[in-house]
Amino acid sequence: MGIRTFIISAAAYMLCTIPSLASVPDGFIQINNNTGLSNSSVTSIFQDSDDVMWFGTWNGLNRYDGASIIQYHPQATEKNSISHQVIRSIAEDSRGYLWVATDFGINRMDRTDGSFDAFFLGYDRPYIYEEGIFSCTISAGGTVAAARKGGQISVFDYESGNFRLLEGCEGLTVTAVLFFDAYGRLWVLTEDNTVARMSVSKGHASDIAVTDMPALHGRLHFDGYDRIWYQSGEKLYCMDIYDPDPEMADSGLRIRSTLNSIRNMDGEIFLCTTGGCYVSGKGPDLERLTEEEIPVWSVFRGSQNILWLGTDGKGVLKEKYRPEFISALDRQVGRKFPVRAIAIDRKGTVYIGSKGGGLSILPMGGGIFHNLDVGPGKTYNSVLALEISGERVYVGTDGDGLLY
């Protein structure tokens, strides 16, 4: 089914972090086509319900479990392969299927066997290539809505296993389905330069409201929380989707490069642009997260609060995971020492032995931090081994024997 598997070896993984790659930001590691990614231009990032990462690129879909990458490509001789190599979006429905929008068709993927079912929503011009004409979004309740540019809205019928037109909105010709909001309303962009929102239930649309947009010369972007964004020149405009009478207003944010996507994650606004990735808090000032020469397409905050960036040409940038107790250790000790041993007792207390930093004791659930000096040795204040037996902690030092 057009599947290729790549194991990421330790050596290959370290190649992504060597100093010669100066454009990789501090605190990130790189996953690209040199380490098994099908293409280094990453359009979309998603994490499924099993915590597996998925990367959509300009040349294939990629599954990444932390150790290996599986690539999915279209194959003309295989009916159940993905329908096109350019991936636009990835989402998961309430039944565990992945929905992948490509430049030619919407694909439903069965993750158990890697097979795809493709849906073309009445599109009958496969010989004419058009970028980004298919779109798909999923509600919290599991409703899958899709559209092709210049067509009508369709919803997936699980009983028949196919899409059918959404009733009650037959007069709307859409450019794209955008998203479902927290109230379950579907938002779409129409060809009449308006944004329409509607309630969707059992294949029928109701309570349709339309908002006129300014003359659009670019894309609309939903930040995943409460606002639709639009760029005009250096200015970024936004619209509160929960306002009873929403309209575009100047956000106060300014960027010189082109906005590719935007995400609001825990109050921080991440702007992915052709000139890098920026982060905004509550004020108008922007903090640069990547260098200007790294165009960024997508951003995702995954499990363990890890940040993932999809770049145009540099692959995926993954934030290095740093457990909170390690950060707490750095704050308390004030200096960083090479760790030589770690042990955890039945109460969850963490014991950390380091070269030069002695023995650090940190209650996992919080509490008083202790740092103990183990004295001189071949290297001063160094712990090389730890072992817990019952209520005792045995500490092997560098030259001063065994302590407990």
Side-chain angles (χ1 to χ4, degrees):
M1 287 175 284
I3 301 174
R4 305 173 193 167
T5 304
F6 295 82
I7 305 299
I8 300 182
S9 68
Y13 203 68
M14 291 187 67
L15 283 174
C16 300
T17 61
I18 57 176
S20 61
L21 294 176
S23 57
V24 177
D26 291 338
F28 287 85
I29 58 176
Q30 186 183 35
I31 305 169
N32 59 14
N33 55 352
N34 293 323
T35 54
L37 202 64
S38 65
N39 187 270
S40 288
S41 292
V42 181
T43 59
S44 49
I45 301 176
F46 180 74
Q47 186 173 40
D48 68 23
S49 54
D50 292 326
D51 288 341
V52 173
M53 300 302 301
W54 296 84
F55 308 129
T57 75
W58 281 95
N59 186 26
L61 176 69
N62 298 258
R63 179 190 186 275
Y64 175 60
D65 62 4
S68 63
I69 293 176
I70 300 176
Q71 300 179 9
Y72 299 88
H73 297 271
Q75 299 293 321
T77 59
E78 296 181 7
K79 178 182 177 181
N80 293 116
S81 65
I82 195 167
S83 63
H84 199 268
Q85 69 269 20
V86 178
I87 311 301
R88 295 295 176 177
S89 66
I90 309 166
E92 183 179 358
D93 68 15
S94 56
R95 304 187 183 198
Y97 289 99
L98 285 190
W99 289 86
V100 184
T102 75
D103 273 3
F104 181 52
I106 305 291
N107 292 257
R108 182 180 68 164
M109 179 186 183
D110 186 339
R111 292 184 296 142
T112 61
D113 61 9
S115 63
F116 295 84
D117 294 312
F119 305 92
F120 302 100
L121 310 180
Y123 188 73
D124 58 0
R125 297 188 298 171
Y127 48 86
I128 300 177
Y129 176 68
E130 298 181 68
E131 288 190 4
I133 66 169
F134 288 91
S135 55
C136 180
T137 186
I138 304 175
S139 74
T143 300
V144 180
R148 60 176 175 82
K149 185 178 180 181
Q152 295 182 314
I153 307 166
S154 297
V155 290
F156 190 73
D157 179 16
Y158 283 97
E159 289 187 8
S160 66
N162 213 330
F163 280 94
R164 60 186 180 88
L165 292 179
L166 180 64
E167 298 176 357
C169 59
E170 291 83 356
L172 284 179
T173 302
V174 301
T175 300
V177 293
L178 298 175
F179 58 89
F180 282 95
D181 65 21
Y183 296 124
R185 299 176 301 184
L186 175 63
W187 291 71
V188 302
L189 177 64
T190 77
E191 283 199 333
D192 296 328
N193 210 42
T194 64
V195 170
R197 67 181 186 273
M198 64 198 73
S199 299
V200 177
S201 178
K202 298 180 179 179
H204 188 85
S206 61
D207 302 322
I208 300 175
V210 176
T211 301
D212 291 328
M213 290 288 104
L216 296 177
H217 301 290
R219 295 171 53 200
L220 291 179
H221 305 272
F222 177 50
D223 65 11
Y225 185 62
D226 65 355
R227 280 172 168 75
I228 293 175
W229 295 76
Y230 173 71
Q231 181 180 13
S232 179
E234 294 185 2
K235 294 183 179 181
L236 291 181
Y237 295 84
C238 64
M239 178 176 75
D240 187 342
I241 63 174
Y242 299 112
D243 191 314
D245 188 20
E247 61 180 18
M248 283 288 180
D250 190 348
S251 70
L253 298 179
R254 303 289 184 267
I255 56 173
R256 294 182 179 179
S257 47
T258 301
L259 183 66
N260 290 325
S261 65
I262 186 167
R263 299 295 291 179
N264 184 333
M265 298 183 289
D266 299 324
E268 289 186 312
I269 299 173
F270 290 78
L271 298 95
C272 303
T273 80
T274 55
C277 185
Y278 299 84
V279 184
S280 171
K282 295 182 179 179
D285 295 332
L286 296 176
E287 175 188 349
R288 178 179 288 279
L289 194 60
T290 66
E291 296 299 322
E292 189 171 358
E293 64 268 18
I294 304 180
V296 178
W297 280 106
S298 53
V299 61
F300 188 88
R301 178 79 74 181
S303 58
Q304 299 178 319
N305 211 34
I306 295 175
L307 188 68
W308 303 76
L309 300 177
T311 74
D312 186 10
K314 294 291 183 180
V316 175
L317 300 180
K318 175 190 175 184
E319 188 176 35
K320 294 179 181 176
Y321 175 57
R322 192 170 184 79
E324 176 55 33
F325 78 87
I326 294 294
S327 298
L329 177 65
D330 286 345
R331 291 193 297 269
Q332 293 287 346
V333 175
R335 293 176 59 192
K336 296 182 180 180
F337 299 96
V339 173
R340 292 292 180 260
I342 296 178
I344 303 177
D345 67 16
R346 289 176 294 181
K347 298 179 182 178
T349 300
V350 182
Y351 298 84
I352 304 171
S354 63
K355 182 179 179 181
L359 177 64
S360 302
I361 305 173
L362 185 68
M364 183 65 83
I368 300 175
F369 176 93
H370 299 282
N371 189 248
L372 305 179
D373 192 325
V374 299
K378 293 182 179 178
T379 53
Y380 181 77
N381 199 25
S382 294
V383 174
L384 302 185
L386 291 168
E387 184 68 36
I388 296 176
S389 178
E391 298 298 320
R392 288 190 171 184
V393 180
Y394 295 87
V395 182
T397 68
D398 188 12
D400 202 25
L402 182 67
L403 307 177
Y404 60 91

